[in-house]
């Protein structure tokens, strides 16, 4: 450890230390300080240690913007999600943040409240500062998404596909999930199913609806009910769904399903005694609802891991498909012998 001469003045920590303070204390040039602290051209271990000790002593913190200019990289990835309050996206964010930390990267997160225009603006702004963008279930139009792809250094999509030479995607095969739910409900004896649809701009809702055109859904009568992606959306859609006299409801996601369970309870209807309810995604609360929610389980950890790998140069921009599995809990059962009035 180098000891400084008494004549060497250490800057007051209350004042903002500069790179010149570090250089003066370490008796090196500012260029050498910059190389050491930015990970640029190597210097001798003895000089590097001296610079780091001096930086610590004066309380110097490199300017992130300047570091980005020097390295040509911010070591930061921007993540844009349509709803920060949705546990599904929160779980994906946890997975992505863990992968980022393991590779000495940071994440900047923006939530857009299901607003395609706000989503576009957030993505364009983040693209100016980060090494890459991860858009979770983007709602913006395809032309806007192409603009973002041109503005970003690297763009990765979760649950959206864009034909572009520099864009990679990781998608859940939601049509398989709906097929599995239809097969399960049909085996129980259900014939009339209400589907509470997701946001109109959601690509993943289109994939879910593909499942209703499958052989597993043949023999079922499907009633499509406008809904959304939130708990409140689920509560609000129940009354209209019940006008079709379904024996079961399939919800766009588990968040919606929780709202459905709440509203059915208010109406005095038993689940699954009067009506069965199923969700999609296997959100953390799904096992703890009353009753436990039957759902199509998707690994958010795997989604986050696969998406992060798309930021490494060696990985192609092809679309990766992730499959889930049916989780049967107490919210689905045989339909009642007598139809509700």
């Amino acid at each position: 450890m180098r000891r400084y001469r008494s004549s060497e003045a250490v800057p007051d920590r209350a004042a903002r230390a500069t790179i010149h303070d570090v250089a003066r204390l370490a008796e090196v040039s500012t260029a050498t300080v910059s190389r050491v602290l930015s990970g640029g051209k190597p210097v001798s271990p003895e000089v590097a240690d001296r610079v780091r000790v001096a930086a610590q002593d004066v309380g110097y913190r490199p300017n992130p913007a300047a570091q980005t200019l020097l390295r040509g990289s911010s070591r930061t990835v921007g993540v844009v999600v349509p709803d920060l309050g949705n546990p599904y996206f929160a779980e994906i964010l946890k997975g992505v943040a863990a992968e980022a930390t393991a590779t000495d990267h940071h994440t900047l997160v923006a939530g857009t409240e299901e607003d395609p225009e706000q989503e576009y603006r957030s993505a364009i702004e983040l693209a100016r500062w980060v090494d890459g963008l991860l858009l979770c279930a983007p709602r913006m139009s395809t032309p806007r998404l192409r603009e973002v792809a041109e503005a970003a250094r690297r763009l990765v999509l979760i649950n959206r596909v864009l034909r572009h030479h520099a864009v990679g995607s990781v998608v859940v095969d939601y049509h398989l999930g709906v097929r599995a739910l239809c097969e399960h409900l049909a085996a129980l004896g259900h014939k009339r199913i209400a589907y509470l649809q997701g946001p109109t701009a959601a690509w993943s809702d289109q994939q879910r609806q593909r499942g209703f055109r499958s052989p597993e859904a043949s023999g079922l009568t499907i009633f499509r009910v406008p809904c959304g992606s939130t708990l409140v959306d689920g509560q609000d859609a129940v009354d209209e769904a019940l006008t079709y006299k379904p024996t079961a409801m399939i919800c766009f996601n588990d968040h919606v399903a929780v709202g459905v369970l709440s509203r059915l309870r208010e109406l005095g209807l038993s689940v699954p005694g009067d009506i069965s309810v199923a969700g999609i995604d296997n959100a953390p609360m799904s096992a703890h609802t009353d009753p436990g929610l039957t759902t199509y389980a998707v690994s958010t950890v795997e989604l986050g891991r696969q998406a992060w790998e798309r930021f490494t140069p060696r990985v192609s921009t092809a679309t990766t498909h992730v499959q889930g599995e049916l989780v049967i809990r107490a919210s689905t059962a045989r339909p009642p012998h007598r139809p509700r009035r």
Side-chain angles (χ1 to χ4, degrees):
M1 182 71 70
R2 177 176 181 263
R3 295 185 180 278
Y4 300 105
R5 298 187 299 271
S6 58
S7 60
E8 293 177 304
V10 177
D12 183 353
R13 283 180 179 268
R16 182 178 177 84
T18 69
I19 193 172
H20 298 284
D21 298 323
V22 179
R24 183 167 55 253
L25 202 55
E27 297 180 345
V28 296
S29 68
T30 55
T32 298
V33 174
S34 179
R35 286 198 297 271
V36 171
L37 299 183
S38 67
K41 294 175 63 175
V43 300
S44 70
E46 188 273 334
V47 170
D49 287 344
R50 209 162 74 223
V51 169
R52 293 190 184 100
V53 169
Q56 183 176 3
D57 283 353
V58 301
Y60 174 70
R61 293 182 178 275
N63 183 297
Q67 294 284 291
T68 296
L69 289 173
L70 287 168
R71 290 193 303 254
S73 168
S74 66
R75 301 193 69 81
T76 302
V77 169
V79 185
V80 182
V81 301
D83 181 7
L84 286 171
N86 188 324
Y88 175 74
F89 296 119
E91 291 296 309
I92 290 178
L93 285 173
K94 285 170 60 177
V96 171
E99 294 290 331
T101 300
T103 55
D104 195 27
H105 282 72
H106 306 282
T107 55
L108 288 176
V109 179
T112 61
E113 301 296 328
E114 294 282 359
D115 182 346
E117 185 61 28
Q118 183 179 339
E119 179 182 73
Y120 168 75
R121 292 196 302 267
S122 296
I124 289 293
E125 181 63 24
L126 278 175
R128 299 174 55 204
W129 304 101
V130 298
D131 294 338
L133 275 178
L134 172 60
L135 304 187
C136 296
R139 312 306 200 203
M140 72 183 78
S141 67
T142 297
R144 281 289 176 89
L145 198 53
R146 291 189 180 279
E147 287 184 46
V148 174
E150 294 298 327
R153 296 185 183 183
R154 176 70 63 86
L155 177 62
V156 177
L157 307 177
I158 289 181
N159 288 333
R160 181 78 179 265
V161 174
L162 180 71
R163 293 183 179 179
H164 190 281
H165 65 89
V167 177
S169 298
V170 182
V171 301
V172 176
D173 285 332
Y174 282 116
H175 66 284
L176 297 180
V178 169
R179 290 172 63 174
L181 287 169
C182 287
E183 184 176 35
H184 167 63
L185 292 171
L188 290 172
H190 292 274
K191 298 292 184 183
R192 300 171 66 84
I193 311 294
Y195 172 57
L196 276 59
Q197 301 175 116
T200 55
W203 178 89
S204 63
D205 186 64
Q206 300 169 22
Q207 301 309 302
R208 286 162 167 81
Q209 301 222 32
R210 281 179 55 199
F212 293 116
R213 300 191 291 270
S214 67
E216 290 83 354
S218 62
L220 299 177
T221 301
I222 307 299
F223 304 97
R224 291 168 172 80
V225 181
C227 184
S229 63
T230 70
L231 186 150
V232 173
D233 290 334
Q235 289 176 319
D236 292 344
V238 167
D239 290 47
E240 180 180 348
L242 290 176
T243 64
Y244 298 103
K245 300 188 183 304
T247 59
M249 296 185 190
I250 296 177
C251 304
F252 172 73
N253 62 22
D254 291 354
H255 216 195
V256 168
V258 171
V260 168
L261 292 175
S262 174
R263 178 56 180 159
L264 290 173
R265 192 177 301 113
E266 289 176 356
L267 294 173
L269 294 175
S270 167
V271 177
D274 293 317
I275 189 168
S276 290
V277 177
I280 294 175
D281 287 337
N282 197 33
M285 75 280 204
S286 302
H288 307 290
T289 56
D290 183 19
L293 186 65
T294 292
T295 185
Y296 181 68
V298 177
S299 172
T300 51
V301 172
E302 181 64 11
L303 277 178
R305 188 186 68 81
Q306 291 276 2
W308 186 262
E309 285 189 357
R310 291 298 177 275
F311 288 109
T312 61
R314 66 179 181 278
V315 178
S316 73
T317 56
T319 299
T320 297
H321 294 263
V322 176
Q323 295 186 11
E325 61 180 357
L326 183 64
V327 176
I328 300 174
R329 299 192 180 104
S331 67
T332 52
R334 297 190 62 82
H337 293 298
R338 295 181 180 179
R340 297 187 317 278
R341 292 184 179 181

